[in-house]
């Protein structure tokens, strides 16, 4: 039995899996790529990798396996041609049609009584007086001596007698403005002086009771005798309001002053900041704003007032070498501006610029670029996509850009 284990529970079924000699923990964590099972074809359309494909038209999962119509299939209904704007404006017939239309219109009463564009005629027999200028129907109303306000609110209107007013008060409830309503209740009190309800007594010392909520009414809290150890623990553990917290000093009741006593000094804080300079010391330097080193004063002479001293930052006047050294700090005009550093382009971390996508390339380079990212077509389909890219690029040369070929792929990727 040497080197072997003994099974004390032989009647029970063993759990787990027998470890094979050719397998290890490393093989389980990093399996061979060729042995990893692939996603079934009917499940791929639901994966994120399908939605994140480059240069492909992404369809809804329900439309991926749906049969596609043959030929140039158009969805929807074609719009029927409508009337033209010129025909709509030319509705009035001309020539013999106009005469026939006018004869047909004579039979309508509206055409006779109310002709289009003219005043309708009622065939009234007006008297001769109505034909004169300045004639008007009706009677002129003489101006009133009262205004509308005086008619609604007459200033000298006679008030009703008290009996009449009380009658209207009882029948219509016509109370005067500001008059107290009297329902003829039999009060035990005088209603003009009596007030209903209970008056709330105004509480005094409200803020004091909020800060010292333990106070009882009209007296201070009752003094209770407790253990000193309990009171000391409370003073140490709690944060008293408006007082420093006890940090377990030896004797907190002893007045102590920490730190060193400030000595009387001659200079104040303001003098330390501003100092006490003399009038000569506060005067500006003679060479303020001028170069003090000989040969660097940039002083113009007669005839060279427009002379530019120094060299420009971007050296376009120097020919750039084939390979720029890392120790060369010169800017030859080929470096990116500040806006490119603040807002870098999409593929700038890969060393690509927008001009790389717009550069014209031949058919071989385009095929090699797109095959390197997994987009491979047959000869016939590649020629069709390349032809569509030339139409997008609007060029007659046998060269297109990566951007134009990418747009063509998006349009024709689903076409077999």
């Amino acid at each position: 039995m040497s080197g072997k284990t003994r099974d004390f529970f032989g009647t029970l079924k063993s759990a787990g899996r027998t470890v094979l000699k050719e397998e290890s923990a490393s093989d389980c964590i990093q399996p061979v790529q060729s042995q990893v099972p692939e996603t079934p074809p009917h499940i791929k359309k639901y994966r994120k990798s399908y939605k994140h494909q480059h240069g492909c038209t992404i369809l809804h999962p329900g439309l991926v396996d749906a049969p596609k119509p043959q030929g140039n299939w158009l969805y929807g209904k074609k719009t029927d041609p409508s009337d033209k704007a010129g025909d709509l404006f030319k509705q009035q017939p001309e020539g013999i049609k106009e005469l026939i239309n006018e004869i047909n219109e004579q039979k309508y009463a509206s055409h006779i009584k109310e002709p289009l564009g003219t005043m309708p005629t009622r065939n009234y027999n007006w008297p001769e007086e109505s034909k004169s200028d300045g004639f008007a129907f009706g009677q002129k109303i003489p101006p009133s001596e009262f205004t509308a306000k005086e008619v609604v609110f007459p200033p000298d209107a006679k008030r009703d007698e008290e009996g009449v007013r009380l009658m209207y008060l009882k029948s219509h409830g016509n109370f005067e403005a500001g008059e107290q309503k009297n329902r003829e209740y039999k009060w035990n009190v005088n209603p003009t002086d009596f007030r209903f309800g209970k008056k709330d007594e105004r509480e005094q010392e409200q803020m004091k009771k909020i800060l010292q909520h333990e106070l009882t009414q009209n007296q201070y809290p009752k003094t209770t005798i407790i253990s000193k150890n309990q009171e000391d623990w409370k003073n140490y553990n709690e944060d008293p309001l408006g007082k420093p917290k006890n940090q377990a000093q030896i004797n907190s009741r002893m007045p102590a002053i920490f730190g060193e006593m400030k000595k009387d000094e001659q200079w104040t804080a303001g003098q330390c900041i501003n100092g006490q300079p003399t009038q000569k010391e506060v005067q500006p330097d003679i060479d303020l704003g001028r170069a003090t080193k000989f040969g660097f004063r940039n002083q113009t002479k007669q005839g060279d007032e427009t002379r530019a001293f120094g060299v420009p930052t971007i050296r376009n006047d120097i020919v750039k070498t084939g390979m720029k050294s890392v120790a060369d700090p010169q800017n030859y005009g080929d470096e990116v501006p500040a806006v490119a550093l603040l807002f870098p382009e999409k593929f700038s971390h890969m060393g690509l610029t927008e001009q790389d996508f717009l550069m014209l390339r031949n058919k071989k380079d385009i095929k090699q670029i797109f095959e390197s990212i997994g987009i491979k077509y047959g000869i016939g389909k590649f020629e069709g996509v390349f032809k569509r890219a030339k139409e997008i690029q609007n060029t007659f040369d046998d060269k297109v850009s990566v951007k134009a070929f990418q747009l063509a792929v998006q349009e024709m990727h689903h076409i077999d």
Side-chain angles (χ1 to χ4, degrees):
M1 300 297 289
S2 176
K4 297 184 179 180
T5 58
R6 183 178 180 183
D7 188 3
F8 294 94
F9 303 95
T11 59
L12 300 179
K13 185 178 180 180
S14 301
R17 178 184 175 187
T18 304
V19 179
L20 301 178
K21 295 182 178 180
E22 61 271 8
E23 290 186 353
S24 62
S26 177
D27 297 334
C28 296
I29 298 175
Q30 297 179 352
V32 181
Q33 191 67 23
S34 60
Q35 298 179 0
V36 177
E38 296 184 356
T39 306
H42 64 282
I43 301 295
K44 283 186 177 181
K45 58 184 178 181
Y46 301 106
R47 299 293 298 272
K48 288 185 178 180
S49 58
Y50 168 76
K51 299 180 181 179
H52 296 165
Q53 292 184 85
H54 176 71
C56 300
T57 302
I58 307 302
L59 301 177
H60 189 270
L63 299 176
V64 173
D65 301 329
K68 300 178 178 58
Q70 301 295 332
N72 297 328
W73 180 263
L74 299 177
Y75 293 91
K77 182 181 178 182
K78 187 176 181 180
T79 306
D80 296 333
S82 59
D83 298 333
K84 297 181 179 179
D87 298 339
L88 296 177
F89 283 103
K90 296 180 180 179
Q91 292 291 335
Q92 186 66 23
E94 299 177 357
I96 190 64
K97 293 183 179 180
E98 182 180 3
L99 179 60
I100 296 173
N101 183 58
E102 195 172 320
I103 295 173
N104 295 333
E105 291 286 340
Q106 294 295 334
K107 64 179 72 175
Y108 297 105
S110 60
H111 179 78
I112 300 172
K113 296 181 179 180
E114 298 178 359
L116 185 63
T118 58
M119 185 176 181
T121 303
R122 306 297 182 186
N123 297 324
Y124 295 148
N125 295 324
W126 301 104
E128 294 295 333
E129 293 83 358
S130 61
K131 298 179 182 180
S132 60
D133 297 337
F135 177 79
F137 292 94
Q139 184 179 1
K140 187 176 181 180
I141 301 176
S144 176
E145 57 180 343
F146 300 105
T147 61
K149 180 180 179 180
E150 294 174 349
V151 173
V152 177
F153 303 103
D156 299 332
K158 186 178 180 181
R159 299 180 61 85
D160 296 334
E161 298 179 359
E162 186 66 19
V164 177
R165 190 185 72 82
L166 294 176
M167 180 178 64
Y168 277 102
L169 180 64
K170 185 175 182 180
S171 61
H172 295 77
N174 188 16
F175 291 91
E176 294 289 342
E179 181 183 1
Q180 184 181 10
K181 292 185 178 181
N182 185 9
R183 296 182 174 83
E184 298 183 359
Y185 295 155
K186 294 182 180 180
W187 302 102
N188 297 327
V189 294
N190 186 8
T192 58
D193 300 334
F194 186 76
R195 297 291 182 271
F196 294 92
K198 182 180 179 181
K199 183 179 180 182
D200 294 336
E201 296 183 1
R202 187 173 182 180
E203 193 171 357
Q204 303 294 332
E205 299 181 350
Q206 297 182 7
M207 185 57 63
K208 181 179 180 181
K209 293 180 180 180
I210 292 174
L211 297 177
Q212 299 178 357
H213 54 85
E214 69 275 4
L215 295 179
T216 58
Q217 187 175 6
N218 299 328
Q219 64 180 358
Y220 283 91
K222 184 179 179 180
T223 303
T224 56
I225 299 175
I226 61 175
S227 174
K228 184 177 182 300
N229 294 334
Q230 179 181 359
E231 187 67 19
D232 292 342
W233 179 86
K234 185 186 296 183
N235 294 334
Y236 170 73
N237 188 61
E238 296 180 355
D239 297 328
L241 183 64
K243 299 178 181 179
K245 185 177 180 180
N246 186 7
Q247 301 293 346
Q249 293 88 348
I250 298 177
N251 189 359
S252 60
R253 296 181 178 86
M254 181 181 295
I257 300 176
F258 298 93
E260 183 180 359
M261 186 175 181
K262 182 180 179 182
K263 299 179 181 180
D264 295 336
E265 297 180 358
Q266 297 180 356
W267 277 52
T268 61
Q271 292 174 343
C272 293
I273 297 174
N274 300 324
Q276 291 182 348
T278 61
Q279 187 66 23
K280 182 179 180 181
E281 292 175 347
V282 298
Q283 294 296 327
D285 296 337
I286 300 176
D287 55 355
L288 181 64
R290 301 178 182 178
T292 58
K293 189 175 181 181
F294 181 78
F296 292 87
R297 298 179 183 178
N298 297 339
Q299 297 179 357
T300 59
K301 300 179 181 179
Q302 186 177 3
D304 58 353
E305 288 80 4
T306 59
R307 174 187 173 188
F309 295 91
V311 294
T313 305
I314 301 176
R315 299 303 301 272
N316 295 328
D317 55 335
I318 300 177
V319 180
K320 182 182 177 182
T321 58
M323 182 177 296
K324 183 179 178 181
S325 173
V326 295
D328 188 3
Q330 262 329 322
N331 183 5
Y332 296 97
D334 55 347
E335 297 183 5
V336 295
V339 66
L341 300 176
L342 298 175
F343 305 99
E345 296 182 359
K346 187 175 182 181
F347 299 99
S348 60
H349 63 283
M350 302 175 62
L352 298 176
T353 62
E354 188 68 22
Q355 299 297 328
D356 295 331
F357 291 89
L358 301 178
M359 184 186 301
L360 296 179
R361 306 174 188 271
N362 54 27
K363 191 180 300 183
K364 181 180 178 181
D365 295 340
I366 292 292
K367 186 176 182 180
Q368 183 180 0
I369 291 173
F370 280 85
E371 285 182 354
S372 62
I373 62 175
I375 302 178
K376 299 181 180 180
Y377 297 121
I379 299 176
K381 186 170 182 179
F382 180 80
E383 292 293 337
V385 177
F386 193 84
K387 183 178 179 181
R388 176 56 184 158
K390 289 175 62 178
E391 296 176 358
I392 297 175
Q393 191 74 39
N394 194 14
T395 178
F396 297 99
D397 298 336
D398 202 15
K399 292 183 179 181
V400 295
S401 62
V402 176
K403 185 69 174 178
F405 194 85
Q406 184 181 0
L407 296 176
V409 168
Q410 294 178 359
E411 294 181 7
M412 305 179 63
H413 182 73
H414 62 281
I415 301 176
D416 296 335

